Amino acid sequence: MATTNKSKKRKFVADGVFYAELNELLTRELAEDGYAGVEVRVTPMRTEIIIRATRTQSVLGEKGQRIRELTSVVQKRFGFQDGAVELYAERVANRGLCAQAQAESLKFKLLGGLAVRRACYGVVRFVMEASAKGVEVIVSGKLRGQRAKGMKFNDGYMIKSGNAGAEYTDTAVRHVMMRQGVLGVKVSIMLPHDPAGKIGPKRNLDDVVTILEPKESALPVPAAY
């Protein structure tokens, strides 16, 4: 965003509003391309926006036309100078461990007329096969008939509270505009521990205890009296 002299508090609020609005725009625009989140990196020269998606080719468009259009929209809306903002597309390494991609996939399955139970179990199975520790899918609204209700499908191990819940659980919410009304879809995925930090957090869970083998040491020789 255009840099002006502002207090720290205002800067953080403005950055948060910018991220929220950008995320909303990309969620609507790239829903069918497996949009899975955005990362904003501010460098002294320019602002870099990295779009994470499962189908990067369709995000880029033919000869990069679509990403240039998106760059132009972002530049005009947020008042960037020419060349001060750059958009990049990055492929999601493992879409089975990305809650946003799975929520989007479930949304299109439901819009396509697939039965709720079948669609949800399909997502649960796909996520668990992608080496996740656990998964939970909640769908609520007018599922059948006029009465609204909620359905919950889960598998594996899920931590929701505390620091582990914030660090290990990836959550996404989507609204599905069905003919009978709006359905709410929530997908939570418990990521696996990964020492490399690529598919899950580097830090191990607090209750994982590693017992080390005792070191081989020579017995002490008793002193002579």
Side-chain angles (χ1 to χ4, degrees), residues 36 52 54 92-102 123 126-135 168-171 187-194 198-201:
R52 294 172 64 243
T54 54
V92 174
N94 190 342
R95 67 192 184 97
L97 296 177
C98 176
Q100 291 207 43
Q102 291 310 310
V123 168
F126 186 79
V127 171
M128 290 309 286
E129 282 170 3
S131 75
K133 275 193 174 179
V135 57
Y168 269 82
T169 310
D170 186 18
T171 306
V187 177
S188 301
I189 298 172
M190 176 87 173
L191 302 170
H193 167 63
D194 179 19
K198 286 181 182 173
I199 61 166

Side-chain angles (χ1 to χ4, degrees), residues 14 59 129 176:
V59 172
E129 282 170 3
V176 189

Side-chain angles (χ1 to χ4, degrees), residues 15 67 101 119 158 193 210 214:
D15 286 352
I67 199 126
M158 175 74 65
H193 167 63
T210 310

Side-chain angles (χ1 to χ4, degrees), residues 57-73:
Q57 203 51 53
S58 46
V59 172
L60 294 169
E62 198 177 329
K63 296 179 183 173
Q65 187 188 349
R66 195 174 186 196
I67 199 126
R68 283 199 299 274
E69 285 172 4
L70 285 170
T71 306
S72 174
V73 167

Side-chain angles (χ1 to χ4, degrees), residues 30-90:
L30 307 173
E32 291 179 31
D33 306 310
Y35 173 72
V38 64
E39 186 186 340
V40 180
R41 289 184 195 154
V42 181
T43 62
M45 296 297 290
R46 64 167 74 87
T47 301
E48 294 175 354
I49 295 168
I50 294 114
I51 300 165
R52 294 172 64 243
T54 54
R55 289 196 287 277
T56 47
Q57 203 51 53
S58 46
V59 172
L60 294 169
E62 198 177 329
K63 296 179 183 173
Q65 187 188 349
R66 195 174 186 196
I67 199 126
R68 283 199 299 274
E69 285 172 4
L70 285 170
T71 306
S72 174
V73 167
V74 170
Q75 188 179 315
K76 283 189 174 75
R77 168 63 188 86
F78 298 107
F80 284 105
Q81 298 294 319
D82 282 346
V85 64
E86 198 75 50
L87 265 70
Y88 302 99
E90 181 184 271

Side-chain angles (χ1 to χ4, degrees), residues 134-187:
V135 57
E136 181 182 74
V137 177
I138 301 171
V139 182
S140 57
K142 284 197 222 170
L143 303 175
R144 282 167 65 189
Q146 281 299 300
R147 185 74 179 177
K149 61 176 180 177
M151 290 171 89
K152 191 184 280 190
F153 307 86
N154 46 26
D155 195 2
Y157 175 59
M158 175 74 65
I159 291 180
K160 295 183 182 180
S161 60
N163 182 53
E167 207 173 332
Y168 269 82
T169 310
D170 186 18
T171 306
V173 176
R174 289 289 180 273
H175 301 113
V176 189
M177 308 296 174
M178 303 287 278
R179 207 176 71 218
Q180 69 267 32
V182 182
L183 294 186
V185 167
K186 184 177 182 181
V187 177

